[in-house]
Structures are given as C-alpha cells and as structure tokens.
C-alpha cells in the first residue's frame, strides 16, 4: 500500500493551480491554503508543463479554457508521459455539463471542481484522492 500525502508527518501537500485568470488562481489557492496545501501557480498550460519538468506537486488543478494549449490537451499530454501518468489532475473550470465531464474524464482528469463550488466540495474531492492533509482530515471526521 502506498503512503499517501496525508500520512507523512510535517509535510504539507503541494498543489499546482493552472488558470489564466488571476482571480481564479487567487480564489482556489486560498481554499487550498486553508486546507493545508502549499500552492504553486501557472497562468498557462505551457508554463505548467515547464513547471512540472522541475518537480511534481501532489495534485494539479487545470483550467479548461486557456490561451494556447487548452486544459484538456494538457491533461492528455501529461497522461502520455510515464512521469506524470498517475499524477492526480482535477479540472478547475466553469464547465459542468455532463458532456464536459465525460470529455474531461476521457482526457484523463481524475475529477472536476467547478469554479462555483465551495470548499466542502473541494475537501470531498481531495479526501477521495487521499490528498487531504491528515490534520484537516481528522477535523472533518
């Protein structure tokens, strides 16, 4: 059984938030920080892919509509690379229709967190992926 991030004492999990909207990056990074995450930011898929070459976070939140490479294509590229094939990726988007959810999952996204969702939904997703820090997990239990 693999050790999950929440079981490593003294280690805060890391998240990479990829969104071209500064406000959206700010909102999600604040929610993640409240849940015990250290957060890195990228404003495009290209900058995120370059950032991932330097080291992997515990989870990536990828916007769908980005300038240049869109989020779904970025997820497909990450899934094709051995190093990032199993990296948890959550689409962070305003898209929420059933057709979009199917396209996101087909591209390789683990889950979808809509920009209209609240921090409770975020905690549920992170708990399902065993990424919620232990201290937060114990408070929510």
């Amino acid at each position: 059984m693999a050790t999950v991030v929440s079981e490593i004492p003294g280690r805060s999990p890391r998240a990479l938030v990829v969104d071209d909207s500064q406000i959206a990056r700010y909102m999600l990074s604040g929610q993640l920080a409240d849940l015990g995450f250290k957060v890195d930011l990228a404003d495009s898929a290209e900058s995120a892919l370059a950032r991932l070459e330097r080291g992997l976070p515990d989870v990536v939140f990828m916007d769908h509509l980005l300038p240049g490479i869109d989020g779904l294509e970025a997820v497909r590229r990450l899934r094709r690379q051995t190093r990032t094939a199993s990296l948890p990726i959550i689409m962070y988007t305003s898209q929420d229709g059933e057709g979009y959810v199917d396209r996101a999952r087909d591209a390789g996204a683990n889950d979808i967190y809509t920009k209209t969702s609240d921090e409770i939904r975020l905690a549920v997703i992170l708990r399902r992926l065993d990424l919620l820090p232990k201290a937060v997990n114990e408070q929510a239990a």
Side-chain angles (χ1 to χ4, degrees):
M1 176 183 214
T3 301
V4 295
V5 171
S6 62
E7 295 173 349
I8 302 171
R11 182 185 181 281
S12 295
R14 294 200 74 83
L16 174 62
V17 174
V18 185
D19 200 306
D20 59 326
S21 164
Q22 184 177 6
I23 293 170
R25 288 191 312 266
Y26 174 80
M27 296 293 292
L28 181 55
S29 64
Q31 289 176 330
L32 289 165
D34 288 347
L35 292 171
F37 279 76
K38 300 233 183 264
V39 182
D40 296 314
L41 304 172
D43 61 2
S44 69
E46 291 86 351
S47 63
L49 294 171
R51 163 66 183 81
L52 292 170
E53 290 296 320
R54 296 189 305 269
L56 297 180
D58 297 296
V59 62
V60 173
F61 287 83
M62 181 74 68
D63 185 22
H64 171 89
L65 300 173
L66 293 166
I69 300 170
D70 75 25
L72 293 177
E73 178 57 27
V75 171
R76 283 186 205 96
R77 290 181 185 195
L78 291 169
R79 291 299 181 229
R80 287 192 299 258
Q81 298 176 20
T82 303
R83 187 168 171 265
T84 55
S86 63
L87 179 65
I89 302 172
I90 299 167
M91 297 307 294
Y92 177 55
T93 181
S94 56
Q95 309 285 318
D96 64 357
E98 190 173 314
Y100 174 76
V101 171
D102 291 341
R103 288 184 13 235
R105 292 205 186 278
D106 288 346
N110 295 86
D111 214 323
I112 290 85
Y113 181 59
T114 58
K115 292 180 180 179
T116 57
S117 294
D118 60 23
E119 199 168 300
I120 293 171
R121 169 85 175 119
L122 178 60
V124 167
I125 291 169
L126 293 169
R127 183 176 293 117
R128 185 178 324 128
L129 295 170
D130 288 326
L131 291 168
L132 200 60
K134 186 174 184 166
V136 174
N137 222 343
E138 288 169 353
Q139 290 173 357

